[in-house]
Amino acid sequence: LEKKIQKAANLYKLRKFSEAEIISKKLISKHPKIPFLLNLLGLIMMEKRDYKEAMYYYNQCIKIQPNNANVYNNLGTLYKAKNEYTKAESYYKKSIELDKKIIEPQNNLGSLYIDQTKYEDAIICFKKCINIEPKSPISHYNLGIANISIGKIKDAKKHLEESINIYPQFYKTHL
């Protein structure tokens, strides 16, 4: 079972979503209560832009694991993709409340705030990310971009350079 689940996850990582979906659905039909598979199917359906089905799998996962911070983060991303920013924000905050040690929901919330031109709120989120994980190139990049947006060029430069120092191949930062 583990090998089959890993195969589905690897296909997802390779962006072979249809193949990953077929394997995952077969596995779910035999093992309907595996949170990892339910979340994986949600991610696959998000990539296929089938938000209704993605939401179904995320909600099934929450029924089994009501405190799964990653699933709430993924629900936030789903609602952000649907431009339902209030719901996205609430799911990101729920994810953060459940696990303050993971930076993804904090980064995603900051990005949501950038989309809404709430730059000061975004900066707070990205600073929290850096406090949790000081060597996160994406957090430094995001903080740099947020600082550019409010004209804090010196701060922006500092964080963009730190992003490059941490991960020189992060070409978006070089731009």
Side-chain angles (χ1 to χ4, degrees), residues 141 163-164 167-175:
Y141 168 79
S163 178
I164 291 168
Y167 186 56
Q169 295 80 18
F170 190 12
Y171 297 111
K172 197 173 182 181
T173 307
H174 290 276
L175 293 174

Side-chain angles (χ1 to χ4, degrees), residues 45-61:
M45 302 321 293
M46 278 286 297
E47 291 292 340
K48 294 180 86 175
R49 290 182 168 67
D50 186 340
Y51 301 135
K52 185 177 180 180
E53 196 163 348
M55 191 177 306
Y56 169 79
Y57 289 114
Y58 291 145
N59 285 325
Q60 292 303 308
C61 188

Side-chain angles (χ1 to χ4, degrees), residues 3-175:
K3 287 182 182 179
K4 290 177 183 177
I5 292 171
Q6 190 58 55
K7 182 178 181 181
N10 289 340
L11 288 167
Y12 170 78
K13 290 176 190 172
L14 293 170
R15 304 190 62 76
K16 295 183 178 184
F17 303 123
S18 294
E19 293 173 57
E21 177 186 1
I22 290 166
I23 292 171
S24 297
K25 283 185 174 179
K26 283 181 185 176
L27 290 170
I28 283 290
S29 70
K30 294 177 184 174
H31 310 278
K33 298 209 183 272
I34 298 177
F36 180 87
L37 268 176
L38 292 165
N39 188 46
L40 178 61
L41 266 166
L43 291 168
I44 292 166
M45 302 321 293
M46 278 286 297
E47 291 292 340
K48 294 180 86 175
R49 290 182 168 67
D50 186 340
Y51 301 135
K52 185 177 180 180
E53 196 163 348
M55 191 177 306
Y56 169 79
Y57 289 114
Y58 291 145
N59 285 325
Q60 292 303 308
C61 188
I62 287 172
K63 286 179 185 176
I64 298 165
Q65 275 187 337
N67 295 324
N68 188 322
N70 290 314
V71 177
Y72 287 101
N73 178 56
N74 294 340
L75 278 164
T77 301
L78 183 147
Y79 281 107
K80 182 180 177 191
K82 293 173 61 174
N83 295 320
E84 294 183 37
Y85 292 155
T86 302
K87 284 184 179 180
E89 180 179 15
S90 70
Y91 280 111
Y92 289 142
K93 286 181 175 180
K94 175 73 173 177
S95 177
I96 292 164
E97 175 187 316
L98 289 170
D99 190 344
K100 291 173 180 37
K101 294 179 183 169
I102 56 174
I103 65 169
E104 289 80 8
Q106 197 71 255
N107 256 316
N108 290 339
L109 181 59
S111 294
L112 177 71
Y113 288 147
I114 284 179
D115 289 350
Q116 297 174 300
T117 65
K118 297 178 180 178
Y119 301 115
E120 297 293 342
D121 291 333
I123 287 170
I124 291 167
C125 290
F126 300 136
K127 284 182 177 179
K128 286 179 182 178
C129 291
I130 292 168
N131 285 335
I132 297 166
E133 199 174 304
K135 296 290 182 188
S136 168
I138 190 70
S139 299
H140 283 283
Y141 168 79
N142 286 337
L143 185 51
I145 295 304
N147 277 306
I148 287 171
S149 299
I150 60 170
K152 292 186 175 181
I153 304 306
K154 186 177 176 183
D155 288 341
K157 183 179 177 187
K158 175 183 133 188
H159 288 287
L160 293 171
E161 286 175 347
E162 183 62 19
S163 178
I164 291 168
N165 289 335
I166 295 166
Y167 186 56
Q169 295 80 18
F170 190 12
Y171 297 111
K172 197 173 182 181
T173 307
H174 290 276
L175 293 174

